[in-house]
Amino acid sequence: MKLQMHSIHFDADQKLINFIQKKADKLDTYYDQIIDGEVFMRLDKNNKSENKIVELKLNVPGKQLFAKNQSDSFEAAADEAVEGLRRQIKKHKEKVVLAKQ
């Protein structure tokens, strides 16, 4: 899956980008019609410990899915955001299958 990565107010290292890409690629196993997506990684200056935010946006035919999570590490935030999208994808796929019947 093609993902555009955006790191806001910092430079993301390649290890983090690869981690998020690998996690998001697993979503293809649940729904093979994902067109593309965007990832926004940002630092929240207000919160002391849980200041890393990951926003994931996926484009599927006819809809856009979105998940946002905040945690003390980008890896944990990305993990939770991907999990949220996995649930949304499964629901969307069920609706598409029901609509075709």
Side-chain angles (χ1 to χ4, degrees), residues 17-66:
I17 291 170
N18 292 341
F19 176 84
I20 294 173
Q21 181 72 52
K22 186 177 172 188
K23 284 285 184 185
D25 284 343
K26 291 180 182 177
L27 294 173
D28 280 331
T29 61
Y30 298 101
Y31 191 58
D32 60 354
Q33 296 189 12
I34 298 171
I35 301 166
D36 61 1
E38 283 186 285
V39 179
F40 295 93
M41 298 167 278
R42 69 183 74 201
L43 291 168
D44 184 12
K45 293 187 170 120
N46 299 335
N47 203 333
K48 296 286 186 249
S49 62
E50 293 189 356
N51 65 341
K52 279 106 178 149
I53 302 170
V54 173
E55 298 175 359
L56 261 159
K57 191 186 311 182
L58 290 183
N59 295 312
V60 296
K63 194 165 185 174
Q64 191 174 64
L65 306 174
F66 180 80

Side-chain angles (χ1 to χ4, degrees), residues 19-20 23 54 56 69 73-83:
F19 176 84
I20 294 173
K23 284 285 184 185
V54 173
L56 261 159
N69 200 281
S73 74
F74 283 113
E75 289 83 1
D79 216 15
E80 289 297 317
V82 167
E83 178 60 26

Side-chain angles (χ1 to χ4, degrees), residues 77-94:
D79 216 15
E80 289 297 317
V82 167
E83 178 60 26
L85 281 175
R86 184 190 65 80
R87 289 191 298 270
Q88 289 180 45
I89 286 171
K90 287 179 95 174
K91 282 184 184 177
H92 176 70
K93 188 176 178 180
E94 288 172 11

